[in-house]
Amino acid sequence: MKYVDEFRDRSVAEKLAAEIARQAAGENSYHFMEFCGGHTHAIFRYGVQDLMPANVHFVHGPGCPVCVLPVRRLDDAVELAERHGAILCSYGDMMRVPGTNRRSLIKAKAEGADIRMVYSTMDALKIARDNPQRQVVFFAIGFETTTPPTAVAVLQAQKEGLKNFSVFCNHVLTPAAIGHILDSEDFAPGGPARIDGFLGPSHVSAVIGSKPYEAAAAHYRKPVVICGFEPLDVMQSVLMLIRQIKEQRFEVENEYTRVVTRDGNLKAQALVAEVLELRPSFEWRGLGSVADSALRLRDKYSFFDAEKRFEISAKTSRETKSCECPAILRGVKKPTDCKLFGTVCTPDNPMGSCMVSSEGACAAYWTYGRFRNPDRAKEAILA
Amino acid sequence: MCLAIPAKVVSLDTSDATAMVSLEGIRKKISTALLDEVEIGDYVLVHVGYALNRLSEDEAQRTLDLMREGGLLAEELAEISEASQ
Ligand code: SF4
C-alpha cells in the first residue's frame, strides 16, 4: 500500500479502494481492459493495481497509436523519404519505433533521409510552404484525437493550392478495435484475453463522444466506462464497471463528464467526415487485419494522398524476433512474459513499439513496475 | 501522444483560425479550427497544436496539477518546444 501515499486525495483513494473491495467480494473475478496508454501510465505511476482486491485485474489494451502501427507502414514511411526523396514529417513519438531490421525513423534520418519531427500538422504545412521544390509528406498516425488536425491540414493545403504536400494516412478507430478484441475467434495462439469490461478512452471520446461505444457494449454485453487519466478516475471507473456487471447492465457510462459528452466535438467530426472515409480493412500490430478500423483520404482529396502520389513498393516487413508486442497489445501477455524485457529491451534501446512511447505497456512496466520485482531489476541492471 | 494539455488563450487571430496560448509560461500558436467559438481568457484542451475542447478554469488547473505530479507535464512541454520549425 505504499503507493497510496502518492495520491493527492489519499482519503478518497482509500475510501474508493474499500468500496471496490466490498463490491467485488465474492466468487467472481474481474478483468478490465484499459484501452488508453494514458490509463496504463496512471495505473503504473500510482500503483493502482496494488489498491485493487486480488480478484480485480487490469488488462493492458492496444490504446497507444504508436504501438499498434504495423511495421510495414513504418517501413513504407521510410521508403517515402529514402526512395522518393520526400521530406517526411512525423510526430515525435514515432521517431524511435523500430521497423524491420530495427530501422527507425531516427536511424534513417541519421543515414541521410530527410525526416523531420513536427509537433503539429501546421508545422508540416509550413515546411511544405518553405520548400516548394520538395515533396513533403505528413506521416499521419493516431486515434480519433489526432485525426481532425490531419483533416484540417488537407483542407488548408487545398485552400492554399499547396501542390507538394501529401498525407500518408494511418489513422485508426477505437470502437472497431474494441469489437475486434471481443471477437475472440479471430485470435491466434495464446487464446482470447478474458475481458469483462473496458475503461474507455477519454481524450478520444472528447472528439467522438461516448455514443460510438454503445453498440459494442450492448452487442458484446461488456460495460464501457469512459475514464479520465488520473488515478482516482481509474478507481471510480472500476467501481462503476463492477456495479454494472453485478446489476447485469452493459452500457456506456461516462466517468469523465468534465470533458466528454455523448456527442463529442461535432465540428471536428464533420471535418473528418469531409476529408476521410473508412478503409474496408487495415492491419494493426497484434490484432491483424481489422475491418472498418481505419481511415483514408476520400477520392475527392486523392491529390493529397501520399499512397496515390507515390508508388510504394511491396516489401517483406518483420517484427523484431522474440518481441511480444503483438500478444501484449491483444491483452494475452504481459511485458514480463517477454524474454527481452528489461534485459535487451529498455526505453533507451527499444526492441519493440511498446517500449518506445511512455504510454506503451512495456515502457510503463519498466519505468514503474520493475522495482516491484527485485530479481528482474537486478537482472536488468547486470545485463 | 494521446494526451491533451489545458492552456489559456491569450490572443486570437480570426484571419487564419489560430490563437496564442500560454502553457506554463511557454507561448505557443495553436489552431482553433476545430472549435466554433473561442474567446480570449478561455481554457482549451490542446492536442498536437489544435484546441479540441473548451474546459473550465478549475478543471484546467486540476488537470495541470495532476499532470505535473505525474511527471507528464514536463514531457508534454518538452515535446511542444522541441519539435523543430
Ligand atoms: S519488452 Fe521490448 S521486445 Fe519485449 S514485448 Fe516489450 S517492446 Fe517488445
Side-chain angles (χ1 to χ4, degrees):
Chain A
M1 279 286 204
K2 67 183 158 83
Y3 291 88
V4 82
D5 295 337
E6 296 186 18
F7 280 108
R8 102 190 332 253
D9 293 311
R10 181 183 169 136
S11 61
V12 183
E14 280 171 349
K15 269 190 213 131
L16 271 171
E19 183 59 15
I20 290 169
R22 203 175 68 82
Q23 291 283 341
E27 299 283 283
N28 283 342
S29 66
Y30 299 89
H31 294 78
F32 299 132
M33 177 174 269
E34 85 270 7
F35 195 90
C36 264
H39 297 142
T40 308
H41 193 104
I43 288 165
F44 279 91
R45 169 74 174 83
Y46 293 94
V48 177
Q49 178 72 68
D50 295 353
L51 297 172
M52 296 291 128
N55 60 337
V56 173
H57 306 276
F58 291 107
V59 180
H60 316 302
C64 153
V66 168
C67 300
V68 298
L69 188 80
V71 175
R72 169 67 202 267
R73 301 290 287 188
L74 173 57
D75 293 346
D76 289 348
V78 171
E79 180 185 335
L80 288 171
E82 284 190 331
R83 190 163 78 89
H84 296 287
I87 300 176
L88 183 79
C89 301
S90 168
Y91 289 130
D93 305 52
M94 202 63 229
M95 297 292 286
R96 296 171 58 240
V97 177
T100 297
N101 297 328
R102 302 198 36 231
R103 239 167 142 244
S104 61
L105 295 181
I106 284 238
K107 279 201 185 146
K109 183 182 166 85
E111 288 163 20
D114 197 344
I115 298 175
R116 306 192 194 180
M117 187 174 114
V118 295
Y119 167 63
S120 160
T121 56
M122 289 185 296
D123 301 337
L125 287 171
K126 182 169 186 304
I127 292 172
R129 278 181 218 116
D130 293 347
N131 297 275
Q133 72 294 359
R134 301 277 307 275
Q135 286 291 327
V136 174
V137 179
F138 175 64
F139 188 10
I141 62 152
F143 290 111
E144 292 89 334
T145 335
T146 318
T147 310
T150 300
V152 171
V154 170
L155 293 170
Q156 182 67 27
Q158 187 185 52
K159 196 166 129 199
E160 292 179 29
L162 273 178
K163 301 232 175 325
N164 61 332
F165 178 81
S166 60
V167 169
F168 181 44
C169 188
N170 294 279
H171 287 299
V172 284
L173 304 170
T174 48
I178 287 184
H180 184 86
I181 287 169
L182 292 171
D183 276 331
S184 49
E185 253 104 85
D186 294 354
F187 277 44
R194 169 163 168 208
I195 298 166
D196 302 302
F198 288 88
L199 300 172
S202 43
H203 290 150
V204 161
S205 307
V207 172
I208 64 173
S210 61
K211 205 159 94 183
Y213 302 101
E214 289 170 2
H219 176 76
Y220 295 98
R221 298 174 60 82
K222 305 285 180 191
V224 175
V225 173
I226 308 293
C227 170
F229 282 144
E230 53 168 300
L232 294 179
D233 288 324
V234 173
M235 296 180 74
Q236 178 64 39
S237 302
V238 165
L239 188 57
M240 290 164 78
L241 284 169
I242 295 173
R243 283 201 182 121
Q244 281 206 47
I245 291 170
K246 290 178 71 179
E247 291 163 15
Q248 291 283 299
R249 288 186 294 122
F250 306 100
E251 296 164 9
V252 177
E253 288 181 311
N254 183 5
E255 182 275 336
Y256 198 48
T257 48
R258 313 193 293 271
V259 175
V260 176
T261 58
R262 183 165 181 262
D263 290 326
N265 180 337
L266 295 173
K267 184 171 185 192
Q269 291 168 32
L271 289 163
V272 170
E274 165 64 25
V275 177
L276 303 166
E277 65 180 10
L278 276 181
R279 285 179 195 263
S281 89
F282 191 74
E283 183 82 13
W284 291 52
R285 176 177 282 181
L287 304 187
S289 173
V290 183
D292 298 333
S293 67
L295 300 170
R296 65 179 174 207
L297 273 72
R298 285 189 187 279
D299 278 346
K300 211 168 142 187
Y301 296 98
S302 62
F303 179 78
F304 298 101
D305 190 342
E307 288 173 80
K308 303 240 165 81
R309 186 172 299 186
F310 303 100
E311 178 237 314
I312 299 177
S313 63
K315 54 177 86 66
T316 324
S317 293
R318 275 186 317 271
E319 300 276 352
T320 306
K321 220 172 134 213
S322 311
C323 170
E324 298 282 9
C325 281
I328 291 167
L329 293 166
R330 289 201 302 273
V332 299
K333 283 200 175 164
K334 285 193 166 25
T336 42
D337 296 330
C338 171
K339 60 179 188 232
L340 305 181
F341 176 79
T343 53
V344 178
C345 180
T346 62
D348 287 333
N349 186 31
M351 297 286 148
S353 56
C354 307
M355 190 57 100
V356 175
S357 157
S358 65
E359 290 150 32
C362 295
Y365 259 69
W366 168 261
T367 311
Y368 302 116
R370 73 189 164 112
F371 304 108
R372 284 189 237 165
N373 182 342
D375 289 347
R376 189 168 281 278
K378 214 190 289 161
E379 224 173 76
I381 289 160
L382 295 177
Chain B
M1 145 116 241
C2 284
L3 286 181
I5 179 170
K8 186 179 186 173
V9 175
V10 293
S11 69
L12 285 170
D13 184 345
T14 43
S15 69
D16 63 350
T18 58
M20 198 60 86
V21 294
S22 149
L23 271 170
E24 300 284 286
I26 299 178
R27 293 222 159 188
K28 182 84 191 165
K29 191 172 161 184
I30 61 152
S31 167
T32 56
L34 303 175
L35 293 180
D36 278 324
E37 279 167 51
V38 198
E39 281 168 32
I40 292 172
D42 278 353
Y43 280 84
V44 290
L45 204 53
V46 179
H47 177 63
V48 295
Y50 286 73
L52 288 183
N53 283 81
R54 281 190 300 182
L55 72 175
S56 73
E57 179 169 359
D58 280 357
E59 174 53 21
Q61 277 314 333
R62 204 157 90 94
T63 307
L64 282 170
D65 287 347
L66 282 156
M67 289 180 78
R68 190 177 297 117
E69 207 170 88
L72 294 171
L73 191 59
E75 220 173 84
E76 283 291 297
L77 290 175
E79 207 174 285
I80 290 167
S81 35
E82 252 172 42
S84 55
Q85 294 95 19

